[in-house]
Amino acid sequence: MDILETHAYDRRQKRNVSCALLFSLLPFFLSSALYFYLLTPDSAPSVMSAGVKCAPTLLLAAVVLSWNGGQSALGVAGGLVFSAVGDCCLVWPELFIHGMGAFAVAHLLYSLTFLSGRYTTYSSSSWTRFLYLLLVMTGGVFYIYLFPFLRRAPDSDLLTPGVGIYVVLITVMGVLAIRTRRMVTLLGSLTFVVSDVCLALQVFKVLPPMQHGQLVVMVTYYLAQLLIAVGDIKAVENKDDFSKWKRS
């Protein structure tokens, strides 16, 4: 098999893999559509609404597990499961701190994944160092801006340090996503930051009630999780391709 035939074969293989991945993501897209169809921010919390909200994230976890195997249970798949726990908790406002804790664990698992061998390590360039600094400064400024609103919130003694720790964890996750230099992973992580910022501005009453506030939060949230999941699958796929190339 000559070089041209090899490249053509590789292209067909990648196209087939992409089609299979898209097909495996159909349940996620359908469950997300169902959530947005049933989205009624003023409805009372219920087990049914929690299940509908958690379903897309749990289905993404199943997709990552099916593609990457058990190694992802303590990585992105595990992070998605903890995110689903956080989704469930946030349905009931009194469980907000528990939900924040679940998402903090999810960000920790994502961070550990981005440090793993499946993501190629690159030396830092001037622009990546600039992005690191920009993200860290943005996280610090946002927490300082949020601080007086946290002090006025119920359970402020828990929320104030808790949100601080959460901001540190999501900032670290974003920095490590930049370090991977994988565009899908980076966009997913930054979109997650945007979703959390939108949620915090509403929950802590920094902004007046927004008509479509919940919609903005959930669209960016599901998109972020999708991009992180697909980025992890692609990272393993590319790592396997590289290993095959080295052996050949």
Side-chain angles (χ1 to χ4, degrees):
M1 186 180 291
D2 60 27
I3 294 176
L4 291 178
E5 290 175 333
T6 301
H7 283 313
Y9 176 78
D10 288 342
R11 284 197 300 271
R12 287 196 300 271
Q13 286 293 95
K14 288 181 178 179
R15 186 167 58 248
N16 292 338
V17 168
S18 296
C19 290
L21 177 58
L22 181 61
F23 182 78
S24 67
L25 288 170
L26 281 178
F28 164 78
F29 291 121
L30 292 174
S31 60
S32 299
L34 177 63
Y35 171 80
F36 289 117
Y37 177 74
L38 298 175
L39 178 62
T40 50
D42 296 329
S43 61
S46 67
V47 174
M48 177 68 74
S49 61
V52 173
K53 186 180 181 184
C54 296
T57 314
L58 289 174
L59 289 169
L60 269 183
V63 171
V64 175
L65 276 173
S66 67
W67 280 78
N68 291 355
Q71 62 179 346
S72 61
L74 293 177
V76 167
L80 288 165
V81 171
F82 273 98
S83 294
V85 173
D87 290 335
C88 183
C89 291
L90 293 187
V91 170
W92 288 273
E94 62 271 20
L95 297 179
F96 179 83
I97 293 177
H98 300 78
M100 186 173 65
F103 279 115
V105 174
H107 292 316
L108 181 59
L109 290 175
Y110 291 159
S111 297
L112 292 174
T113 302
F114 299 158
L115 283 171
S116 67
R118 78 185 66 167
Y119 290 87
T120 306
T121 301
Y122 298 94
S123 58
S124 295
S125 62
S126 57
W127 72 270
T128 54
R129 286 193 291 269
F130 170 75
L131 288 177
Y132 296 157
L133 180 61
L134 181 62
L135 190 57
V136 170
M137 288 179 62
T138 301
V141 169
F142 180 72
Y143 181 71
I144 292 170
Y145 176 72
L146 205 60
F147 186 82
F149 297 94
L150 293 172
R151 297 305 300 169
R152 293 198 294 266
D155 298 323
S156 62
D157 290 342
L158 282 175
L159 275 175
T160 303
V163 171
I165 294 170
Y166 186 87
V167 169
V168 170
L169 288 174
I170 196 170
T171 301
V172 169
M173 190 265 290
V175 166
L176 293 176
I178 294 171
R179 178 178 175 270
T180 68
R181 296 195 191 179
R182 301 189 63 85
M183 187 55 66
V184 175
T185 299
L186 174 57
L187 287 176
S189 300
L190 295 182
T191 305
F192 211 136
V193 172
V194 171
S195 178
D196 277 353
V197 167
C198 293
L199 178 63
L201 292 176
Q202 295 175 63
V203 168
F204 301 119
K205 298 180 172 56
V206 179
L207 297 176
M210 300 169 58
Q211 183 178 0
H212 302 294
Q214 182 69 7
L215 181 64
V216 172
V217 170
M218 294 309 296
V219 167
T220 51
Y221 169 71
Y222 284 142
L223 177 60
Q225 298 284 34
L226 172 64
L227 292 172
I228 290 172
V230 171
D232 194 54
I233 292 169
K234 291 294 185 181
V236 172
E237 178 186 323
N238 292 343
K239 197 72 175 179
D240 290 343
D241 288 344
F242 180 70
S243 298
K244 291 175 184 176
W245 178 82
K246 284 182 68 178
R247 289 196 297 269
S248 62

